[in-house]
Amino acid sequence: MEVNLASEQELSLVFQAPLCGLVIPLEEVPDPVFAQKMVGEGLAIDPTSERLTAPCAGEIVQIHPACHALTLRHPSGVELLMHIGLDTVSLKGQGFKTLVKVGDQVEAGTPLIDFDADLIAQQVPSLISPIIILPGEKPLDFEVTYGRASTGDKGFLVVRTKGLSSQASGTANTATDGEEINSAVLTMHLPNGLHARPASLLVQASKRFSAEVQLVYQDRRANCRSLVQLLELAIPLNETFYLSATGEEKSQAIAELSRLLNEMSEEAEPTPTKRTSKDVASSADGKRLAGVTAAPGVTAGQVFILHHQELQTEEKGQGPQQELKTLFASLKNVTKALQELQSQVKISAGSAQAAIFSAHQDILEDPALLSKIEDHIDAGKSAAWSVNHVFHHEVERLENVPNELIAARANDLKDVGRRIVADILGGSLSLPELPPQSILIAEDLSPSDTAGLDRSKVVGFCTLKGGSSSHVAILARSMGIPALAAIDARALNLQPGQKVLLNATNGFLELDPAPEKLAQLMELQNSLNERRLKEEQAAHLPARTKDDHRVLVYANFASHEEADRGPGLGAEGVGLMRSEFLFLNREEAPSEEEQFQIYSHMTQAMGAERPIIIRTLDVGGDKPLAYCPIPEEENPFLGERGIRLLLKEQDLFRSQIRALLRAAQSGPIRIMLPMVTNLEEVQQAKAIIREEQVALGVGPVPVGIMVEVPAAALIADRLAQEVDFFSIGTNDLTQYVLAMDRNHPSLARQVDGLHPAVLTMIEMTTKAAHAAGIEVGVCGGTAGDLVGIPLLVGLGVEELSVSLPSVPGVKARVRELDLVACRKLAQRALTLSSAEDVRKLVKEEMPEWSTGEGKRL
Ligand code: PEP
Ligand code: MG
């Protein structure tokens, strides 16, 4: 539908950030011409990147001959003048390179000017770059999201204007951006209402659109990008509400978010268990203290009372600019720490549990919280005090929401707030040194405390707060730690070191257990610990089956520091080094030299005998890189990722290849290509590797591929002719073969690599590898699945690559196997129809495996 563009309609124009850096008010620019708005209204960015990109689609209408400033015209007629640095005109173009010319039509995100920040900074007073709004028609007003921005951040500037200039053109979408549209009436059908994880999905989805979407319930509204505001609405089951949106992509946003809300299903989660007065009364005999089962199990140990340290903050700040800098630096640190925790939990407990820490990252980005914190900072308070104050207040509000599941999220909020404050204060929140067989008693534990518990010391815990549905309880269940929540407050008065028996299954802590009972339990725990110890002692020995077939056990690394512990835990090599950790969460790509140092460090730490398979950068639309804008994709798992992206972004690829080739001169590095689908991709990548090898004048390095796309398994015989090794990525292979998102919370049980269809693909791959005489390993989660190991060995997999702590256990399991029996078992598994049947078969045929059924090591 065409719209009469000449009508006096209010427009809401959404711009994306043209640079990475700190967005500051124009008044703070140290140049009176800009600060006093003689050029016009706007904002400024103190840049940390070296490329100016287009904040919207439009036409380049002016480029200064000194190449330091450029004007872009939005189709509405509004023009943005972007001026890199102050007094930069004096450089006469030195240090600038324009990438467009006047008259060019550009898309949002198109690179406009490259500049050499180091060179410019040495010669001019400041790199602060004003962005001035030059209205075609006078803008009504504009809104800026101050603080840290990354190139491409949507909505960092919203200009509301009326009417259109003669240049205006467009469709209904652009012409009606400012007008609010509403969804149909929606009904909450989640039994527990809109609690944290569904709300977090909504936050994630709304960030994908250039639109501002509000959820309206009764007379209250919540910004769909604010987890806290959504939780505070506490919409219960069967209540009605609707969505309301403005902005460029409002119709798409309303359609997608409505669909999401209609299709949301409840993940397997117990409804909250309330402690009743009966529970408490029955506990009052003095020998037992009652609580609510957070994670079942029975264990014995000694009491350790845990008191959280109070974080003291200074109220007065050192000026808003300094405090804002401190705040954003800490937000960045905490985001990184949470991402690392999320990856660790994903490996140790699973995707659904790891999602808890992705929700914590949403809290960090919550616009409602951030703007409150910034208001306090603007009023002269310190960053630490402001965060503490705002989080404290929000925690109190959430605790009072009349929905127990939502009230339980107050603990998550508290956790995130404490992390930020601790980071600003320069401290850490680590737990004190604990004695062995500790049963922790605490007022409350945070999700991060729980995820970081040392399992060799902590055998159980009890908290005064919390409930069966808290994230702490979910984590405890997945970690297999017996735990009670809402325990009788007298627990805090117990004697440290006192022997107790924790029966979390039946909801009590026994204070004076019969010595025989205690002894029996202690014995069981000791034998488990001994087994773990024995496995670790034998970790440096090879893993051979009973009939003397050697299986290599390698480790997967997500950071180079793990290499220091690799040989000690028996890793015979690195089966997968996810090099993404080097590239994500930063504003510039790591240099060749930085990569070279890190890869070289790994070769030194692992020694000359242990192969190190380094996978080249494997990212896509779901893991965007600030310095390599990847257009948003409707389905990033099926989009431009892995090798598809590397072949397009050859600068990134070539610099990584050079670093790998150089590091390979002093250690057994192998290069692995991710997400391969076609033979041509491998040939092109190999040609690039060869070119760089010749240019560097170094020797060749083995090149292999991940087999994780079904197409690669199906043409494995042809691919095997081209490469030196295969590594089967069962995580992606399973998601693509089964057409099930590997991170989907409610499909988690079904996304099982032991499905006969996936096993068939694995068999095709191993057969092709054997026929061509190349090595074949598995580096996805199935390699650490206790039930999966005999099947993989039986299908001809020669190397299993698992998380580092799991190496000793996997070696021990391999030593219990018989290759001939594994082969027979694998052949029978291939004839079955479901993963469930496969697991049943292994359990029946190898009863000794049943204890670990489904456990990912
Ligand atoms: C896989 O897909 O199995 C794999 C190991 O790679 P990632 O989990 O990093 O996608
Ligand atoms: Mg993969």
Side-chain angles (χ1 to χ4, degrees):
M1 180 181 72
E2 283 296 320
V3 168
N4 178 5
L5 299 174
S7 70
E8 280 286 285
Q9 205 154 29
E10 188 177 321
L11 292 176
S12 205
L13 312 176
V14 181
F15 295 93
Q16 64 182 50
L19 290 162
C20 291
L22 192 68
V23 182
I24 58 171
L26 198 56
E27 296 89 310
E28 286 179 31
V29 172
D31 180 335
V33 175
F34 288 112
Q36 290 168 19
K37 316 214 170 136
M38 295 178 204
V39 189
E41 270 288 358
L43 59 125
I45 302 181
D46 194 356
T48 50
S49 60
E50 298 188 311
R51 171 171 280 185
L52 181 81
T53 63
C56 61
E59 185 189 348
I60 306 294
V61 290
Q62 177 262 347
I63 299 177
H64 194 283
C67 302
H68 67 295
L70 170 153
T71 306
L72 173 69
R73 181 182 294 142
H74 184 273
S76 64
V78 170
E79 295 177 348
L80 288 190
L81 163 67
M82 291 169 277
H83 189 287
I84 301 168
L86 301 177
D87 287 353
T88 33
V89 66
S90 61
L91 299 179
K92 299 196 172 70
Q94 192 198 353
F96 293 95
K97 186 169 163 217
T98 45
L99 307 170
V100 285
K101 51 186 190 322
V102 172
D104 279 0
Q105 292 290 342
V106 297
E107 293 298 320
T110 302
L112 304 175
I113 299 178
D114 275 348
F115 56 98
D116 183 338
D118 283 346
L119 190 140
I120 298 169
Q122 283 164 19
Q123 303 183 53
V124 297
S126 172
L127 264 178
I128 290 180
S129 304
I131 313 277
I132 308 296
I133 308 160
L134 307 168
E137 303 277 343
K138 192 175 165 46
L140 292 179
D141 66 333
F142 65 95
E143 226 173 79
V144 180
T145 307
Y146 291 110
R148 183 188 51 137
S150 295
T151 302
D153 276 358
K154 293 237 165 79
F156 102 111
L157 168 67
V158 178
V159 177
R160 274 181 276 282
T161 185
K162 223 177 206 182
L164 293 142
S165 74
S166 54
Q167 293 93 340
S169 65
T171 61
N173 272 349
T174 44
T176 57
D177 286 351
E179 203 180 283
E180 198 167 79
I181 60 165
N182 295 332
S183 70
V185 173
L186 301 161
T187 303
M188 177 52 57
H189 59 266
L190 296 171
N192 295 316
L194 189 62
H195 61 91
R197 262 158 294 137
S200 168
L201 289 179
L202 209 58
V203 170
Q204 296 296 342
S206 60
K207 284 182 184 166
R208 294 204 293 268
F209 296 96
S210 159
E212 182 155 321
V213 191
Q214 306 236 327
L215 196 152
V216 189
Y217 169 54
Q218 296 172 343
D219 57 351
R220 291 181 294 148
R221 286 179 166 250
N223 178 344
C224 283
R225 293 184 184 210
S226 168
L227 187 69
V228 175
Q229 287 188 354
L230 286 171
L231 291 181
E232 279 174 11
L233 289 181
I235 308 178
L237 177 67
N238 294 334
E239 284 291 298
T240 54
F241 59 94
Y242 66 94
L243 298 169
S244 172
T246 54
E248 226 177 297
E249 295 179 334
K250 58 192 172 190
S251 318
Q252 297 95 313
I254 289 267
E256 174 60 15
L257 299 195
S258 303
R259 185 196 63 75
L260 191 68
L261 281 157
N262 281 328
E263 290 175 9
M264 268 174 187
S265 63
E266 197 59 280
E267 58 268 48
E269 174 161 54
T271 31
T273 325
K274 272 214 160 88
R275 244 178 80 189
T276 63
S277 52
K278 189 169 143 275
D279 292 325
V280 180
S282 70
S283 71
D285 62 6
K287 291 207 165 175
R288 284 182 176 186
L289 296 179
V292 168
T293 305
V298 180
T299 186
Q302 53 173 321
V303 166
F304 185 93
I305 311 275
L306 183 73
H307 294 289
H308 278 302
Q309 77 215 68
E310 273 305 316
L311 299 170
Q312 300 297 341
T313 59
E314 193 73 50
E315 185 169 341
K316 192 170 163 356
Q318 294 170 8
Q321 202 164 347
Q322 177 56 37
E323 296 296 336
L324 276 178
K325 256 193 184 153
T326 307
L327 172 71
F328 288 110
S330 279
L331 291 178
K332 205 165 157 187
N333 294 343
V334 175
T335 304
K336 196 154 176 248
L338 285 174
Q339 279 164 344
E340 277 162 19
L341 193 59
Q342 190 182 348
S343 319
Q344 284 163 18
V345 173
K346 194 167 165 186
I347 292 167
S348 61
S351 298
Q353 288 72 16
I356 292 169
F357 297 101
S358 135
H360 282 200
Q361 289 162 55
D362 290 338
I363 296 174
L364 284 179
E365 292 171 10
D366 194 307
L369 283 179
L370 282 178
S371 99
K372 284 183 192 165
I373 294 168
E374 284 173 7
D375 285 349
H376 286 293
I377 292 179
D378 285 343
K381 310 290 185 196
S382 74
W385 185 91
S386 306
V387 173
N388 212 6
H389 185 78
V390 169
F391 272 79
H392 187 78
H393 185 69
E394 296 298 332
V395 165
E396 267 185 358
R397 278 164 63 132
L398 267 193
E399 278 176 344
N400 290 324
V401 165
N403 172 327
E404 207 179 330
L405 199 61
I406 292 176
R409 295 297 88 85
N411 192 25
D412 294 83
L413 208 59
K414 204 189 281 176
D415 191 6
V416 177
R418 277 176 63 81
R419 266 181 179 273
I420 307 171
V421 175
D423 187 85
I424 295 175
L425 299 178
S428 87
L429 288 174
S430 53
L431 294 177
E433 193 57 36
L434 300 168
Q437 305 227 267
S438 288
I439 293 185
L440 297 186
I441 314 275
E443 174 92 23
D444 210 352
L445 272 184
S446 68
S448 20
D449 287 339
T450 313
L453 287 178
D454 179 350
R455 296 300 319 282
S456 66
K457 303 276 176 60
V458 179
V459 293
F461 68 81
C462 309
T463 57
L464 268 63
K465 291 194 174 175
S468 59
S469 55
S470 72
H471 281 160
V472 168
I474 292 172
L475 285 167
R477 285 197 286 274
S478 69
M479 292 162 79
I481 305 183
L484 284 183
I487 192 166
D488 190 313
R490 285 174 292 176
L492 278 183
N493 301 330
L494 296 176
Q495 279 305 313
Q498 180 177 345
K499 299 275 185 293
V500 286
L501 188 150
L502 172 62
N503 186 333
T505 308
N506 294 327
F508 63 83
L509 183 73
E510 197 165 325
L511 306 185
D512 198 6
E516 319 80 68
K517 224 163 145 189
L518 205 57
Q520 221 177 14
L521 264 172
M522 291 280 198
E523 199 180 315
L524 183 68
Q525 272 166 14
N526 284 340
S527 78
L528 285 175
N529 283 344
E530 262 170 42
R531 193 167 111 188
R532 211 177 2 236
L533 208 69
K534 262 196 199 144
E535 287 175 357
E536 283 181 12
Q537 279 162 356
H540 64 285
L541 299 171
R544 292 184 186 282
T545 59
K546 287 190 211 149
D547 45 353
D548 204 28
H549 169 71
R550 171 109 186 245
V551 178
L552 296 168
V553 182
Y554 288 7
N556 289 347
F557 289 173
S559 93
H560 65 289
E561 281 108 9
E562 288 180 278
D564 300 326
R565 294 183 293 125
L569 283 168
E572 296 169 285
V574 179
L576 166 66
M577 205 285 259
R578 292 179 164 99
S579 67
E580 296 82 82
F581 78 88
L582 272 165
F583 291 81
L584 293 170
N585 310 315
R586 49 192 292 164
E587 273 143 18
E588 286 162 6
S591 65
E592 178 188 324
E593 188 56 30
E594 180 182 345
Q595 293 187 60
F596 167 69
Q597 296 295 346
I598 287 175
Y599 304 145
S600 301
H601 169 86
M602 291 180 66
T603 60
Q604 280 155 22
M606 291 295 288
E609 302 301 318
R610 297 182 184 84
I612 300 177
I613 300 177
I614 300 186
R615 177 173 75 186
T616 52
L617 178 63
D618 183 15
V619 292
D622 61 320
K623 288 186 211 149
L625 301 175
Y627 45 88
C628 166
I630 303 167
E632 271 185 35
E633 294 177 318
E634 206 155 288
N635 211 334
F637 279 108
L638 302 179
E640 274 187 347
R641 52 183 313 115
I643 194 162
R644 302 171 195 170
L645 188 77
L646 290 174
L647 291 174
K648 266 187 80 181
E649 295 293 334
Q650 287 205 9
D651 288 351
L652 268 181
F653 187 42
R654 283 180 186 272
S655 104
Q656 184 171 30
I657 291 298
R658 282 195 298 275
L660 287 168
L661 288 167
R662 284 170 56 201
Q665 302 314 302
S666 53
I669 282 183
R670 302 177 182 184
I671 297 175
M672 177 151 76
L673 306 169
M675 287 293 292
V676 166
T677 314
N678 300 314
L679 189 64
E680 291 71 28
E681 290 166 336
V682 182
Q683 287 165 338
Q684 278 180 43
K686 278 182 68 182
I688 291 173
I689 296 171
R690 227 177 354 257
E691 276 169 30
E692 295 300 337
Q693 184 201 326
V694 171
L696 286 169
V698 296
V701 169
V703 177
I705 59 165
M706 296 277 301
V707 177
E708 54 186 342
V709 176
L714 292 166
I715 59 162
D717 53 347
R718 280 139 279 177
L719 291 167
Q721 304 302 319
E722 199 63 51
V723 296
D724 300 305
F725 63 92
F726 283 158
S727 184
I728 305 173
T730 48
N731 304 339
D732 276 321
L733 188 60
T734 306
Q735 92 163 335
Y736 296 128
V737 169
L738 303 185
M740 286 183 191
D741 183 341
R742 60 192 262 185
N743 297 320
H744 199 295
S746 57
L747 294 177
R749 275 202 154 267
Q750 295 175 66
V751 190
D752 190 333
L754 298 197
H755 191 291
V758 182
L759 296 178
T760 304
M761 295 266 173
I762 296 175
E763 194 199 33
M764 292 182 79
T765 310
T766 54
K767 275 188 170 163
H770 295 160
I774 64 168
E775 289 172 27
V776 57
V778 170
C779 62
T782 315
D785 182 335
L786 287 179
V787 181
I789 292 169
L791 298 171
L792 296 181
V793 170
L795 289 172
V797 171
E798 296 154 357
E799 167 241 305
L800 300 168
S801 192
V802 296
S803 71
L804 183 56
S806 310
V807 168
V810 171
K811 282 186 158 180
R813 300 296 171 271
V814 170
R815 293 183 193 118
E816 292 166 9
L817 297 175
D818 179 279
L819 178 63
V820 179
C822 288
R823 283 187 178 146
K824 281 192 193 144
L825 191 71
Q827 288 310 311
R828 285 179 61 193
L830 289 173
T831 65
L832 300 176
S833 327
S834 70
E836 211 182 335
D837 288 349
V838 172
R839 291 194 179 276
K840 218 158 92 200
L841 170 77
V842 180
K843 195 169 158 183
E844 279 163 11
E845 293 300 312
M846 297 183 161
E848 70 273 25
W849 289 87
S850 59
T851 47
E853 187 184 357
K855 183 167 178 266
R856 303 262 147 82
L857 282 167

